[in-house]
Amino acid sequence: MAQIELVVGDITAQDVDVVVNAANSSLLGGGGVDGAIHRKGGPEILADCRKLRAGHYGRGLKTGQAVATTAGRLPANWVVHTVGPVWSAEEDRSALLADCHRTSLRVAADLGARTVAFPAISTGIYRWPVESAAKIALAAVAETLDGTPGITSVRFVLFDKRAHDVFAEAASLLDR
Ligand code: ADP
């Protein structure tokens, strides 16, 4: 069975096949993980994103969807960009957060990737509470891995120990 690992670290430093970017629908860069990936990965990633916007993704990438580009100068081979939902107290957007994880893993598997690193999507600028995001992300990944044989390892890269501990608690409750 594919393993799920939790580490504290920087997503841009991960030596994996695919790094998932918590992008926004414009695909043209932003803050947080997105800013760090473009800064460290260099201009090739943005050039690929611009090509996507000029082609199939003229209106940008929808929330919950995912698309791949080069990883430029990052240690990874590809960046898979996905758009998480903005947290809402009025509306339950959990299905969209789960979709981000499912579609990113499917795009990664289609590329032939074996190892994938995810940040804690939506928990930064998009304000999703980490406790809730961790449960949704882990459940969606565990479920998708069962039907995605090529992937051997998924690593959640948490920016601080608090987020790591929250993910660890959610993982301990996962029926796997
Ligand atoms: P979103 O817009 O989807 O909320 P953000 O990039 O703002 O995405 O934040 C997602 C999570 O990633 C936050 O918990 C943030 O602390 C964390 N984060 C920010 N930069 C990095 C990084 N370089 N590596 C790993 N995690 C990061």
Side-chain angles (χ1 to χ4, degrees), residues 43-132:
E44 270 184 67
I45 302 176
L46 191 58
D48 260 10
C49 288
R50 289 217 169 94
K51 280 185 210 150
L52 290 169
R53 285 299 307 271
H56 210 79
Y57 295 91
R59 298 178 148 189
L61 187 65
K62 287 195 183 129
T63 306
Q65 298 303 298
V67 67
T69 66
T70 174
R73 297 198 284 259
L74 297 181
N77 293 329
W78 300 278
V79 173
V80 168
H81 306 261
T82 189
V83 184
V86 176
W87 165 255
S88 164
E90 290 81 42
E91 190 188 359
D92 181 6
R93 300 177 180 165
S94 307
L96 287 168
L97 187 55
D99 282 348
C100 286
H101 294 82
R102 282 191 206 106
T103 57
S104 296
L105 277 181
R106 292 205 186 104
V107 169
D110 287 348
L111 290 164
R114 298 172 69 77
T115 55
V116 180
F118 278 93
I121 297 170
S122 289
T123 66
I125 297 162
Y126 287 176
R127 303 185 319 272
W128 202 292
V130 181
E131 285 75 9
S132 164

Side-chain angles (χ1 to χ4, degrees), residues 9-12 21-23 31-37 83-85 119-128 130 157-160 163:
D10 181 340
I11 191 91
T12 64
N21 182 17
V33 169
D34 204 8
I37 284 178
V83 184
I121 297 170
S122 289
T123 66
I125 297 162
Y126 287 176
R127 303 185 319 272
W128 202 292
V130 181
V157 182
L158 293 322
F159 217 27
D160 55 37

Side-chain angles (χ1 to χ4, degrees), residues 145-168:
L145 281 175
D146 286 341
T148 316
I151 309 247
T152 57
S153 147
V154 170
R155 184 182 303 167
F156 282 94
V157 182
L158 293 322
F159 217 27
D160 55 37
K161 183 160 182 327
R162 196 192 88 79
H164 176 275
D165 291 351
V166 171
F167 267 72

